[in-house]
Amino acid sequence: MTSTNGTAAARPPLLLLCSAQFMLVLDFAIVNVALGAMQRDLGFTASGLQWVVGAYALFYGGFLLLGGRAGDVFGRKRMFVAGLGIFTLASLVGGIATEPWLLILARAVQGLSAAAVSPAVLAMIAGGFPEGPERVKAMGIFGAVSSAGFTGGVVAGGLLTEYLTWRAVMLVNVPVGIVLVALAARRLTADHRATRSSKLDLPGAILVTSAMCALTYGLTMASDRGWDSTPVLSSLIGGAVLLLAFLVVQTKVSEPLVPLSIFRNRALSSGNGIAFLSGGVMSVSTFFITMYMQQVLGYSALKASMGFFPQAFVVFMASLPVVKLTHKLGARTVLIIGGVLLALGSGLLAQVTADSSYALGVLPGGVLIGLGVTVMMISTAIAGTSGVSGPQMGLASGLFNSSRQLGVGLCLALGVAVAGVVHGTVAKIPVSGFQNAFWFTTAISAAIVVVSVLGLRRTAVASAAHAAPAAGGEKKAPVAATGATAAAK
């Protein structure tokens, strides 16, 4: 953490923070495999079932920016402990739910509380370690835990649903959450908090939260109802209008929720763009690999979830080497490597046919994507928080998570459309549809390479220019430029 004057304070308990992040990411992925069991047990309709995932995504994506800024204003420890406590309670309610509406409500509250916890975790880690080797290592561990949670959630969901019950995927959070809340209350020290005169930009908060909710809703419904349906079009257009209004308001208020000057940090802007794209590759590839194993290979939900075990194992084994590589080569170089890995993996998966086997058709590409996702989770977290001062660390964390979440929603909706999936069902995806979806992720992966090369290279040039006067002792380099140099190395 950093104190209000920017000096280093006690290091935050990294294991505690990463454990909370692991639980949040795991929860997002673990539920997908249990959807069928939830539908049979609670009597969900086909349209209602999607909101077990959609409600979480809506409230998580909608409130991330507000949650991140609230941590800056009211204190990150406070947001972390309160959010994690609510998340744990919502998990308990969801685990004992006997009606569809109650499970959906619990998932919505989970998403809302996660929107407070996740930016606080990233902000405390990024703000608690000085830029350089210490932060690279800490952020590397954070990214590794996030990627392990996502891939591990698919495996854990299948195991818990098969051998226990779908309720276990919700209830598993309860004992873990109780322990984490108790430890956080004792171990986390008082962190940075805005001055008493600081206040939350309520007009901006209302506008951006409404915009994010509208956009998330439209993207969630697009794959089910189609892009030309009235609810989808209304939500997307309304979200865009609200977002534009939000940007206008930010130029008028004295203490904006999102100071637009933060985007002058090109490392941060590029990191957010890459987070958007890599979130899309992750969501589209996971969805279509799962569907391919179930529909073409004829795997059960459990066997399909176990098909991700090699990918999860690779993520676990590669995390520490990726952290070391990022420290040695810099985030920019490693991001380029990650984009290439994602492109190669997606390109291999695009070769699947109706006769492909798991070993030859799915495994090689899946492993490469697992490696690429590990790189993305670690290096984008470093780039997305580079050069940000303590008072804005929560905001930067919220922006980073929002970018990834929007990438997940938009790219998945586009991927479903590219694959030619019939609205309202995921049944009988043609083999050509799988191929098209994986070619789509190949194109996104190529875009990651382009943004990494162009965006971060330009940042490095700008940083050098700003840093030059400081060498003569007359002028110090801006904080943003200093961080950008590290990210663009």
Side-chain angles (χ1 to χ4, degrees):
M1 275 169 235
T2 55
S3 62
T4 54
N5 63 5
T7 58
R11 297 289 185 266
L14 189 60
L15 179 61
L16 170 63
L17 297 176
C18 286
S19 296
Q21 177 68 12
F22 182 82
M23 184 175 72
L24 297 181
V25 178
L26 185 78
D27 184 79
F28 184 81
I30 200 173
V31 170
N32 290 276
V33 183
L35 291 176
M38 292 175 178
Q39 184 176 32
R40 291 189 297 271
D41 190 21
L42 298 183
F44 273 99
T45 62
S47 59
L49 185 64
Q50 68 174 318
W51 286 107
V52 175
V53 176
Y56 185 100
L58 179 65
F59 282 83
Y60 178 67
F63 285 85
L64 271 170
L65 278 176
L66 179 58
R69 184 57 181 155
D72 289 337
V73 174
F74 302 117
R76 292 161 198 154
K77 175 183 176 180
R78 181 175 299 179
M79 297 300 294
F80 178 88
V81 173
L84 200 57
I86 295 171
F87 183 90
T88 302
L89 181 60
S91 299
L92 175 61
V93 172
I96 63 176
T98 57
E99 297 291 338
W101 67 267
L102 186 57
L103 178 57
I104 292 174
L105 177 63
R107 290 287 290 165
V109 176
Q110 278 187 318
L112 180 63
S113 54
V117 176
S118 192
V121 169
L122 185 57
M124 284 191 281
I125 293 175
F129 296 88
E131 286 203 83
E134 287 189 68
R135 184 183 291 184
V136 168
K137 183 178 179 180
M139 295 297 284
I141 294 172
F142 166 84
V145 166
S146 297
S147 55
F150 186 85
T151 52
V154 181
V155 177
L159 292 173
L160 290 174
T161 303
E162 178 71 18
Y163 294 110
L164 295 176
T165 169
W166 68 263
R167 298 182 184 277
V169 305
M170 300 288 289
L171 295 175
V172 70
N173 296 323
V174 177
V176 178
I178 291 173
V179 171
L180 291 177
V181 169
L183 289 175
R186 295 183 58 184
R187 296 285 308 281
L188 289 179
T189 57
D191 58 333
H192 169 84
R193 187 176 175 182
T195 60
R196 184 169 297 181
S197 60
S198 298
K199 58 183 179 180
L200 198 62
D201 171 21
L202 288 180
I206 293 171
L207 283 171
V208 75
T209 300
S210 300
M212 294 294 290
C213 284
L215 291 171
T216 304
Y217 177 84
L219 294 173
T220 301
M221 295 300 295
S223 59
D224 181 59
R225 298 191 179 186
W227 291 94
D228 57 348
S229 69
T230 300
V232 170
L233 287 174
S234 299
S235 296
L236 295 178
I237 294 173
V241 171
L242 288 169
L243 191 58
L244 180 61
F246 165 73
L247 294 176
V248 172
V249 168
Q250 297 308 280
T251 65
K252 306 295 183 182
V253 296
S254 58
E255 294 187 49
L257 181 70
V258 181
L260 300 185
S261 59
I262 197 172
F263 294 106
R264 295 173 186 168
N265 180 343
R266 297 177 73 90
L268 180 145
S269 298
S270 298
N272 277 274
I274 297 168
F276 174 90
L277 295 169
S278 61
V281 175
M282 184 170 59
S283 63
V284 176
S285 61
T286 301
F287 176 82
F288 282 98
I289 289 174
T290 302
M291 290 297 103
Y292 181 83
M293 287 191 291
Q294 291 184 345
Q295 294 185 7
V296 180
L297 300 182
Y299 285 7
S300 64
L302 174 62
K303 192 173 182 180
S305 68
M306 293 305 296
F308 282 93
F309 181 79
Q311 192 176 37
F313 179 77
V314 166
V315 168
F316 176 77
M317 295 301 294
S319 296
L320 183 58
V322 169
V323 172
K324 293 180 178 179
L325 192 64
T326 304
H327 172 52
K328 182 177 181 179
L329 301 179
R332 172 181 174 268
T333 301
V334 177
L335 282 170
I336 294 171
I337 295 172
V340 172
L341 288 171
L342 290 175
L344 290 173
S346 298
L348 286 176
L349 287 168
Q351 310 303 316
V352 294
T353 67
D355 300 320
S356 296
S357 65
Y358 170 81
L360 296 179
V362 176
L363 184 59
V367 167
L368 287 174
I369 286 180
L371 284 171
V373 166
T374 305
V375 170
M376 291 295 116
M377 285 287 194
I378 292 172
S379 299
T380 53
I382 295 170
T385 55
S386 288
V388 182
S389 61
Q392 291 186 336
M393 193 61 75
L395 169 61
S397 304
L399 284 170
F400 173 78
N401 284 293
S402 296
S403 298
R404 187 182 301 281
Q405 185 66 20
L406 282 177
V408 168
L410 177 59
C411 293
L412 182 56
L414 289 173
V416 168
V418 167
V421 176
V422 178
H423 302 319
T425 179
V426 293
K428 296 182 179 179
I429 301 175
V431 173
S432 61
F434 288 107
Q435 295 168 343
N436 291 339
F438 292 128
W439 281 125
F440 175 59
T441 58
T442 305
I444 301 175
S445 303
I448 290 175
V449 176
V450 172
V451 174
S452 300
V453 171
L454 298 182
L456 293 178
R457 174 185 291 172
R458 291 174 182 173
T459 303
V461 172
S463 300
H466 285 297
E474 298 179 3
K475 184 177 180 180
K476 290 185 178 180
V479 174
T482 304
T485 304
K489 178 181 174 183

